[in-house]
Amino acid sequence: MDVKLTSEQLLKSTKDTIAIFFLKDHIKTNEIISKFTPELKTLLQAVIGECEFTAEPDQCIPVHTKTNPRMILLVGCGEKAKFNHERARLALSTAIRTANSLNAKELSVSITVPETDSEDAVISLAETAHLCTYKFDTYKSEKKPIKLNSLILADAPEKDFKKLTQSLQAGNVLGSLTIKTRDLVNTPPDVCTPDYFADYAVKLGKEYGFKVTVFGKKELEKMNMQGILHVGAGGAHPPCLVTAEYKGGKGKKIAFVGKGVCFDSGGLDIKPANGMDTMKMDKAGACTVLHVLAGCAKLGLKGNYLAVMPLVENMPGNLAYKPGDLIVTRSKKTIEVLNTDAEGRVILSDALFYASEQKPDYIIDVATLTGACIVALGNSVAGLMGNNKELAEMLKSSAAKRYERVWEFPMDDDFYEMIKSDYADIKNVVSNTPGSGAGTITAAKFLEVFVNNTPWVHLDIAGPAWAIQEKGYLSTGATGFGMRMLLQTAIDFSG
Ligand code: BES
Ligand code: ZN
Ligand code: ZN
């Protein structure tokens, strides 16, 4: 999708289609319409009356004008009191879907969005254009490509044009890298093996200008990464560790760590069919942090950024790791395996410790870690945990800017007591008897052991990484959740 910014007035910005956003409270006094020609004003007022347009969220009425622009979409945005930048994203998604279904090629909207400053509006509208037109159709023999290929953001004041052009670039980078993230998460597990991921990362690094290093199985052995090697032992495709690095100046160093389980069958503690069919998504954390690095490079941010991605297949087999295994990780801390399906924390033990050895100011990890997090927060909100209040607040604020929702869990010491092991330092599950509780927090307490006191935040994205149905600007399958809030975090730290 091509997104352009123009200082032209909305009405004159295209001959094709424009969309106007309406608040319920201002249907009759909409500022944008007040600038229209008397003929168009009369036409729109008549349609609003006839169609009983009430500006409910997602209501969208097309009006054919017989002049330029040929079509005007009246889009509902609900009440003023409940309006925010997310409502603007949803309204634009509705407008884009409707315009496309009515064969429009070009759609124009005003950047004068209620309750939103123009820079925020441009970023949010531009990112949405990419997000809501995405569909994973690589494997469909009959594709239905989207006909609408251009979005114009009109009414940009001349005096702000330069700064709004930067906002447009940020929105384009946020949106386009999120759909690249979705594509990689959606790539099926017979294709996206650890090796494939590593090759993809190398290519992306060349394209966007960041350094990628791949540590293969032999190197992992030398590096004592027994957590990654144990989990990866059952897969026919060997494990690896991929790192990506971008140095933009003397700013803070942030290490992003992402869980990269290319397929999670559960291993010997095998999952039932209804828990396994979406498990190609278990690499979403790694896909996210890789594309965050691409965003840092593309935007030329001023900090130092590192991404660490442990990649494995979690499979049963005669070499597979076993319940009862006692693993000596790179950090020398030992893990008792009680359940091979709690594999994410085992590979992250080595990845987080390796990240801490690079002496970053902050570590942020992203992982589809626990089903318990879905029980607690559902499919739209990620769990947030950590060891540092300021960093947690920073992430909450960056997440709110992009409307990726997070919710913080407590991390008191008694949760750590629950994962102490009789034979090793810690165990990878509290117990195999259901009902021990706090599955999301005890997983985070496990991870905390390996960050070596570095200020750290963990995001459990098991719920929001995957969409069961098309909704708003999400299509079925991978959502790319985390990419936008983490690139926003990098931008915010960049100052
Ligand atoms: N990858 C899963 C978590 C998951 C579940 C992600 C559903 C997305 C959707 C993880 O490796 C796992 O299997 N966790 C177990 C942990 C349990 C054995 C303590 C779980 O949540 O059931
Ligand atoms: Zn698992
Ligand atoms: Zn998993």
Side-chain angles (χ1 to χ4, degrees):
M1 173 72 79
D2 182 32
V3 189
K4 285 185 278 247
L5 187 69
T6 176
S7 52
E8 293 231 54
Q9 280 181 14
L10 178 64
L11 197 59
K12 296 192 186 124
S13 60
T14 181
K15 291 182 176 160
D16 193 331
T17 302
I18 65 171
I20 304 167
F21 297 164
F22 285 84
L23 291 173
K24 261 171 133 27
D25 331 48
H26 296 296
I27 297 180
K28 294 228 165 71
T29 52
N30 187 293
E31 258 184 58
I32 291 174
I33 294 198
S34 66
K35 294 180 196 140
F36 285 9
T37 58
E39 293 78 23
L40 274 179
K41 262 193 235 171
T42 316
L43 173 67
L44 294 179
Q45 300 300 355
V47 175
I48 286 169
E50 264 167 44
C51 298
E52 294 174 3
F53 179 69
T54 51
E56 286 306 322
D58 296 335
Q59 196 182 9
C60 184
I61 294 179
V63 183
H64 298 275
T65 64
K66 301 203 171 76
T67 170
N68 288 331
R70 70 170 182 94
M71 184 161 69
I72 299 179
L73 303 177
L74 310 178
V75 187
C77 286
E79 291 156 37
K80 184 172 182 223
K82 287 191 184 161
F83 190 86
N84 56 22
H85 57 104
E86 177 65 359
R87 275 255 139 262
R89 287 191 193 84
L90 297 173
L92 181 65
S93 305
T94 304
I96 288 181
R97 289 189 205 284
T98 310
N100 184 56
S101 72
L102 296 171
N103 295 322
K105 300 264 180 319
E106 185 166 76
L107 174 71
S108 189
V109 295
S110 175
I111 66 159
T112 338
V113 172
E115 313 294 305
T116 315
D117 85 39
S118 55
E119 286 173 79
D120 281 350
V122 169
I123 299 180
S124 301
L125 295 172
E127 69 183 351
T128 305
H130 298 273
L131 300 176
C132 76
T133 49
Y134 173 82
K135 200 172 165 48
F136 180 61
D137 61 2
T138 315
Y139 291 82
K140 283 270 190 196
S141 49
E142 273 178 45
K143 302 188 205 304
K144 290 188 206 129
I146 176 145
K147 287 165 247 151
L148 184 89
N149 52 35
S150 163
L151 176 71
I152 295 175
L153 304 177
D155 293 330
E158 289 283 5
K159 67 171 175 40
D160 300 335
F161 211 80
K162 207 169 152 208
K163 107 182 154 189
L164 292 175
T165 305
Q166 279 173 2
S167 306
L168 175 64
Q169 196 210 359
N172 275 334
V173 171
L174 285 157
S176 60
L177 283 171
T178 303
I179 68 175
K180 269 181 167 302
T181 307
R182 289 181 185 175
D183 254 337
L184 190 58
V185 178
N186 280 326
T187 303
D190 56 336
V191 174
C192 190
T193 59
D195 273 350
Y196 176 98
F197 187 106
D199 290 346
Y200 176 95
V202 169
K203 279 191 205 121
L204 198 73
K206 287 209 178 99
E207 189 184 338
Y208 283 80
F210 60 92
K211 185 178 155 198
V212 174
T213 311
V214 181
F215 301 95
K217 198 174 159 211
K218 290 236 157 60
E219 282 149 312
L220 294 179
E221 275 159 10
K222 280 191 215 131
M223 293 159 85
N224 300 319
M225 297 233 183
Q226 283 299 328
I228 300 175
L229 287 163
H230 269 75
V231 177
H237 302 99
C240 62
L241 180 80
V242 177
T243 65
E245 208 177 342
Y246 175 73
K247 289 188 180 151
K250 290 204 164 63
K252 293 259 189 257
K253 179 164 178 176
I254 310 180
F256 297 101
V257 179
K259 172 176 173 181
V261 177
C262 292
F263 186 70
D264 183 9
S265 70
L268 290 172
D269 290 307
I270 198 157
K271 287 181 183 292
N274 68 357
M276 207 195 290
D277 55 7
T278 57
M279 277 303 131
K280 66 175 179 181
M281 72 143 113
D282 218 18
K283 60 184 181 299
C287 298
T288 298
V289 299
L290 176 65
H291 290 91
V292 169
L293 256 270
C296 296
K298 183 88 187 174
L299 294 174
L301 300 185
K302 299 286 175 252
N304 288 297
Y305 310 95
L306 172 71
V308 181
M309 297 151 275
L311 293 145
V312 296
E313 291 178 330
N314 187 22
M315 296 292 282
N318 55 357
L319 293 175
Y321 84 132
K322 304 170 191 74
D325 281 354
L326 297 168
I327 306 175
V328 184
T329 63
R330 176 170 173 81
S331 72
K332 305 267 177 353
K333 288 263 183 333
T334 56
I335 298 171
E336 178 187 9
V337 178
L338 281 180
N339 190 315
T340 61
D341 198 11
E343 82 298 338
R345 62 200 80 178
V346 180
I347 62 169
L348 287 169
S349 68
D350 284 336
L352 287 167
F353 185 72
Y354 177 83
S356 79
E357 288 176 300
Q358 315 310 310
K359 301 277 176 244
D361 294 291
Y362 307 106
I363 298 179
I364 301 167
D365 84 74
V366 203
T368 45
L369 205 63
T370 66
C373 200
I374 311 178
V375 176
L377 300 176
N379 284 99
S380 308
V381 182
L384 183 150
M385 286 139 278
N387 62 1
N388 183 283
K389 209 169 164 7
E390 287 82 59
L391 183 63
E393 291 308 317
M394 186 79 187
L395 269 125
K396 284 185 212 169
S397 137
S398 310
K401 288 185 191 166
R402 306 270 53 83
Y403 202 78
E404 288 199 313
R405 286 184 288 163
V406 297
W407 190 255
E408 189 169 5
F409 287 101
M411 284 283 277
D412 304 271
D413 292 342
D414 50 332
F415 294 110
Y416 175 70
E417 297 299 316
M418 295 167 76
I419 53 163
K420 281 189 174 163
S421 157
D422 290 336
Y423 312 108
D425 297 331
I426 48 173
K427 50 189 177 182
N428 79 331
V429 295
V430 174
S431 148
N432 280 315
T433 317
S436 47
T440 300
I441 301 171
T442 48
K445 286 309 264 186
F446 182 104
L447 300 183
E448 188 178 15
V449 170
F450 300 94
V451 300
N452 230 342
N453 295 319
T454 312
W456 155 79
V457 158
H458 157 63
L459 295 169
D460 191 331
I461 59 164
W466 193 259
I468 309 150
Q469 58 186 32
E470 181 177 289
K471 198 175 165 211
Y473 47 82
L474 300 178
S475 60
T476 317
T479 60
F481 184 100
M483 165 50 224
R484 290 186 297 130
M485 65 169 280
L486 292 184
L487 184 52
Q488 185 69 52
T489 305
I491 294 172
D492 293 346
F493 268 120
S494 179

